[in-house]
Amino acid sequence: LDAIRRVVGAIMDNLLYSPKLFDIAEELLAQGRYDAALLLYESVAEVEKYQHSERLAICQYRIFTIQIDDDQSRNLRAAILFEPYVERLDEIEQLDALKDLANVYRSLRKWDKVDEIARKLRAKAEIQYTLKHQQKKLKDDESKNSLSRPMFVYITYADLLCASVCDAQGDYQQALQYTYAYADLEWVRETDDDTLYWVEMYQDWARCNIYVNKLLSGDTSVLADYVEYIAETAHTVEDEKLSKLLNIMIAANRYNLNVDDVLSRFKIDIDAFTHLPLSTDMYTQQVVPDYIAWFCYEVAYYYLNRGKYNDGFKQLLCAMVKAHILNNETYFINCTGLFAHFQAYASPEAREEYFKLSEKVWLDNVEKNDTVNRCK
C-alpha cells in the first residue's frame, strides 16, 4: 500500500493518468483488494474534484461502499459526503446508489433521510422502468447487467422503505398502505426466474409485515398466527428471522406480553444471531448488525422485568458489546441505564463483566479522541 501511495503521488499531477488508474482500481475492487482500490479511487477523486465528471461520481460511490463498516459515526460521515454525488452517476447506477444510501441511513435511524431518499428512488425507478418498456430498441439485458436487482425491485423497495419510516413514527395504518402497495405486483411485466423470485420474496415480506403492523399497533390477537408464520418460513435466511423475532420482542415489551414459549421455541435461531455471516449487501452489512444490538437489548429488557436476571444480564452485556462495536451511543446509554436500574440483582460475575466492558469503552474513547489518560 505504501508503494502504491508513493507511485500515485508521483504521477497524479498529470490528468492523463486518471482514466487508467480508475480502471486499475475497478480491477482491484473486483479482486477484493479494497484497501488498494480505495487509495486509487481517492487519488482519482482528488485530481478530478473540479471536473464534475461521471468518473468522479463513481469514485465517490466506490469510496462510500468501501468505507462503510461497523462504526456508525463513520458511516454517517461517509453517507453525508457521498450523497451530493448521486445525481452525477449514470441514471441506472443511481438506483443502486440510492438503495445503498437509504440502507445506511436506515441503520442510523435517520428516518427523514430514509423517507427523502426512498421517494427519490421510487420516482427515478418508475421513470427507468417506463422507459425500458417504451423503447423498442432497448436490449433486454442492457440495464440488467448494471443493476444488482431486477428494475421493478427498486420501485417496490422504495415502498418498503417508506413503510419502515411509518413504522418508526408509529403510523401503522400508513405503513399498511405502503405494504399493500408492494404486495400488489400484477403490473410487473417480466416473467423470468429472477423476477419471479423477487415477486415471491416481496409477497412474503408483505404477508409478514401485515402481521407486524397489526401487532405493533396493539392487535395482539395476531401474535399466534405470526409465530406460526415464522415457523412456516424457517427456511428463510437468518437475518429475516432476526427482524421477525425482534418485532415480537418490541410488542412483548410494549404491551407486557408473555413470550417465554416463543423464546424457547426459537432458542437455536436466537443463539445463532450473533454469528450471522458477513455480506457485501448494504442491508445485511448495516441494518442486520443494528437489529442484533436492538434485539439483545429488547430481550434483556424482557427478562430483567420478569425477574430472570441471569438471562437478562447475559443479553444486556451482549447488547452493550454490539453497541460499542457499532459506536452507537444511544444504544450504549440505554444499556447502561437498564443495568443501573437492575444492578442490585446482578451477580458478581455480571458486575465484573459490566465494569470491565465500561472501562474498555472509556479507554477506547480516550485513545480515539486523543484524550490525556493519567490514570495508573
Side-chain angles (χ1 to χ4, degrees):
L1 295 178
D2 287 339
I4 293 173
R5 194 176 288 111
R6 288 196 300 272
V7 171
V8 169
I11 68 174
M12 283 308 288
D13 287 339
N14 190 337
L15 273 172
L16 294 175
Y17 287 112
S18 184
K20 183 60 179 175
L21 286 181
F22 174 80
D23 291 341
I24 295 171
E26 293 281 85
E27 291 177 17
L28 290 170
L29 183 69
Q31 295 169 9
R33 299 180 179 182
Y34 301 116
D35 290 341
L38 180 62
L39 282 175
L40 297 187
Y41 286 128
E42 288 176 335
S43 298
V44 174
E46 176 63 24
V47 169
E48 299 201 0
K49 63 183 177 182
Y50 301 117
Q51 303 301 312
H52 299 282
S53 65
E54 184 182 335
R55 181 163 56 240
L56 171 62
I58 295 173
C59 283
Q60 294 293 350
Y61 185 20
R62 302 289 190 263
I63 291 168
F64 166 69
T65 55
I66 292 171
Q67 287 183 332
I68 293 298
D69 60 14
D70 291 332
D71 190 326
Q72 291 189 332
S73 294
R74 285 204 298 263
N75 293 348
L76 177 59
R77 289 195 296 271
I80 291 170
L81 289 172
F82 168 59
E83 191 173 345
Y85 293 94
V86 172
E87 296 287 339
R88 299 191 201 176
L89 290 167
D90 173 83
E91 291 175 338
I92 295 295
E93 192 157 16
Q94 285 182 29
L95 303 182
D96 269 322
L98 288 169
K99 172 181 68 67
D100 290 343
L101 198 56
N103 277 327
V104 172
Y105 280 127
R106 185 181 179 187
S107 72
L108 298 168
R109 311 289 180 84
K110 302 293 183 183
W111 297 115
D112 288 346
K113 295 300 298 182
V114 176
D115 185 65
E116 174 191 337
I117 292 169
R119 293 178 189 281
K120 283 184 183 179
L121 176 60
R122 195 182 209 289
K124 290 176 180 291
E126 283 181 331
I127 291 170
Q128 293 304 317
Y129 193 76
T130 301
L131 288 174
K132 176 183 177 182
H133 291 284
Q134 282 180 345
Q135 296 174 355
K136 304 297 183 183
K137 294 181 181 180
L138 188 68
K139 295 181 181 178
D140 290 339
D141 61 349
E142 187 173 326
S143 61
K144 187 176 179 180
N145 292 335
S146 60
L147 289 172
S148 64
R149 309 281 191 272
M151 193 176 288
F152 87 90
V153 169
Y154 297 87
I155 300 173
T156 53
Y157 195 65
D159 285 331
L160 188 149
L161 288 169
C162 287
S164 70
V165 172
C166 293
D167 281 335
Q169 296 170 341
D171 189 351
Y172 300 111
Q173 288 304 313
Q174 186 58 53
L176 272 174
Q177 296 310 307
Y178 281 116
T179 303
Y180 292 141
Y182 66 74
D184 179 11
L185 298 175
E186 292 184 2
W187 53 270
V188 176
R189 301 188 189 185
E190 294 80 6
T191 58
D192 59 279
D193 289 343
D194 199 23
T195 297
L196 295 176
Y197 167 82
W198 282 102
V199 166
E200 184 178 341
M201 184 79 75
Y202 270 93
Q203 288 174 340
D204 179 62
W205 287 342
R207 180 187 171 197
C208 171
N209 288 328
I210 288 169
Y211 282 130
V212 170
N213 281 294
K214 290 181 178 180
L215 180 62
L216 294 181
S217 66
D219 183 2
T220 57
S221 66
V222 303
L223 177 59
D225 289 339
Y226 183 45
V227 171
E228 290 308 314
Y229 161 75
I230 297 173
E232 287 174 20
T233 55
H235 60 281
T236 58
V237 292
E238 292 300 321
D239 56 28
E240 290 182 20
K241 205 173 296 180
L242 166 64
S243 63
K244 292 170 183 175
L245 292 172
L246 171 59
N247 291 321
I248 288 180
M249 296 314 304
I250 294 170
N253 290 329
R254 183 177 297 175
Y255 300 111
N256 195 27
L257 306 177
N258 187 320
V259 293
D260 288 351
D261 57 333
V262 178
L263 291 169
S264 176
R265 183 173 183 177
F266 296 102
K267 184 180 185 305
I268 294 175
D269 300 296
I270 291 169
D271 290 343
F273 287 159
T274 55
H275 305 291
L276 290 176
L278 297 175
S279 170
T280 57
D281 175 72
M282 200 64 75
Y283 172 85
T284 308
Q285 190 183 86
Q286 291 305 302
V287 179
V288 170
D290 181 74
Y291 279 0
I292 292 172
W294 189 2
F295 180 80
C296 290
Y297 173 82
E298 292 288 346
V299 175
Y301 185 97
Y302 176 83
Y303 279 141
L304 290 172
N305 277 282
R306 290 177 177 271
K308 299 183 177 182
Y309 300 118
N310 287 338
D311 290 333
F313 285 114
K314 178 183 176 182
Q315 291 294 330
L316 182 57
L317 289 165
C318 177
M320 290 182 71
V321 169
K322 297 298 180 185
H324 177 48
I325 291 171
L326 294 172
N327 196 18
N328 189 311
E329 292 181 2
T330 301
Y331 279 174
F332 199 85
I333 291 169
N334 286 345
C335 290
T336 57
L338 189 58
F339 185 91
H341 187 75
F342 287 98
Q343 64 178 322
Y345 304 99
S347 67
E349 293 79 15
R351 284 171 176 270
E352 182 181 3
E353 193 172 346
Y354 171 81
F355 287 116
K356 279 184 178 178
L357 178 58
S358 296
E359 185 176 27
K360 180 182 186 304
V361 172
W362 168 59
L363 291 173
D364 286 349
N365 285 333
V366 165
E367 183 178 354
K368 185 184 300 182
N369 298 315
D370 198 25
T371 307
V372 175
N373 177 16
R374 294 188 176 90
C375 297
K376 296 182 180 179

